[in-house]
Amino acid sequence: MLNKEIHIAIIEDDTEIRNGITEYLGSLPLTSSVWCAGSVELFFDLLPEHPLTNIVLTDIGLPGRSGIEGIKMIKQSIKNCDVIMLTVFNDEDKIFKSLCAGASGYLLKNTSLVHIGEAVEVIANGGSYMSPAIARKVITYFNPKPKHKEELTPKEKQIVQALIDGLSYKMIADRLMITIDGVRYHIKNIYAKLEVNSKGEVISKSIKNNLF
């Protein structure tokens, strides 16, 4: 059940697409009015004739100002207006610029008219709506990426074993026939790979994770 009347504006420079969406949305019982413009500039020229506009569907690639530029202008000019992007662009840069600018939805142009109508209804009721491919990109972006953990080299494992055996840096250097600076260099790398900050943590983590 809708909480408000829906007055839609469509900003699209392709005449065929613009007319098709306008006709379809205008035929739905949920919409009170639908009008269109071929650019952001023309939208603002015509806006005084449509003061009740509360949802705008806009392309990104438009003559003059882009749809992304238009988002902030629209939201500053029309109180409580939702903007839905309807575009061919599915790259992360445009998706996140649109969402950061205040878009409430992001649809690809291969979205069916039925799903465009569904998006309008969901957003009119306070929700948000994205094409499945766009939603996946957003989820993937915000999901923590697994860290690639480097394995200890044979030499680093020898040094860890020497630490477990209680050897000093000098004794480790003598055992492995390297310099003390070489020992320090390897230990620095061991700390980074094991994500620790002390010899005690190296020993504890090595034993716990059975690194040998």
Side-chain angles (χ1 to χ4, degrees):
M1 184 175 179
L2 293 175
N3 298 321
K4 63 181 180 181
E5 290 187 343
I6 301 178
H7 298 272
I8 304 173
I10 298 159
I11 309 176
E12 168 60 61
D13 62 322
D14 185 302
T15 304
E16 186 177 349
I17 294 174
R18 183 173 69 239
N19 291 344
I21 297 172
T22 302
E23 183 179 351
Y24 176 75
L25 293 180
S27 71
L28 298 179
L30 60 89
T31 57
S32 300
S33 67
V34 182
W35 62 283
C36 59
S39 67
V40 172
E41 289 81 1
L42 183 56
F43 167 84
F44 281 103
D45 287 343
L46 298 175
L47 184 59
E49 300 174 24
H50 306 278
L52 298 179
T53 300
N54 51 20
I55 291 183
V56 177
L57 278 80
T58 181
D59 193 1
I60 290 179
L62 295 164
R65 291 184 181 276
S66 73
I68 296 175
E69 290 178 287
I71 297 171
K72 289 184 178 179
M73 297 169 63
I74 291 167
K75 294 185 77 68
Q76 287 171 356
S77 301
I78 312 172
K79 186 178 180 181
N80 300 322
C81 181
D82 288 298
V83 181
I84 305 170
M85 312 312 288
L86 182 61
T87 180
V88 296
F89 296 110
N90 65 354
D91 56 287
E92 290 182 358
D93 180 61
K94 289 186 175 60
I95 294 168
F96 289 106
K97 280 183 178 177
S98 298
L99 297 177
C100 289
S104 300
Y106 199 108
L107 306 178
L108 296 177
K109 279 192 176 176
N110 61 6
T111 303
S112 69
L113 290 173
V114 171
H115 285 119
I116 292 175
E118 182 179 296
V120 167
E121 183 172 4
V122 168
I123 287 172
N125 278 309
S128 60
Y129 198 102
M130 297 181 195
S131 294
I134 301 303
R136 174 59 66 90
K137 282 181 179 285
V138 172
I139 290 169
T140 300
Y141 181 86
F142 284 106
N143 274 345
K145 296 174 178 62
K147 292 181 179 179
H148 174 68
K149 299 218 173 186
E150 294 182 76
E151 293 187 4
L152 298 181
T153 65
K155 180 72 72 178
E156 289 165 351
K157 287 183 177 181
Q158 288 179 312
I159 290 175
V160 171
Q161 184 60 60
L163 292 174
I164 293 172
D165 293 342
L167 273 61
S168 67
Y169 283 13
K170 184 178 184 311
M171 294 169 71
I172 294 172
D174 291 341
R175 176 190 280 190
L176 301 181
M177 292 184 291
I178 59 176
T179 66
I180 292 178
D181 284 340
V183 173
R184 291 193 180 99
Y185 171 80
H186 286 301
I187 287 179
K188 181 180 177 182
N189 288 338
I190 291 167
Y191 281 14
K193 289 180 180 180
L194 297 184
E195 298 178 340
V196 298
N197 298 298
S198 69
K199 287 191 292 183
E201 286 181 288
V202 169
I203 294 168
S204 174
K205 197 163 189 177
S206 299
I207 295 172
K208 181 179 178 181
N209 295 333
N210 193 24
L211 296 181
F212 301 98

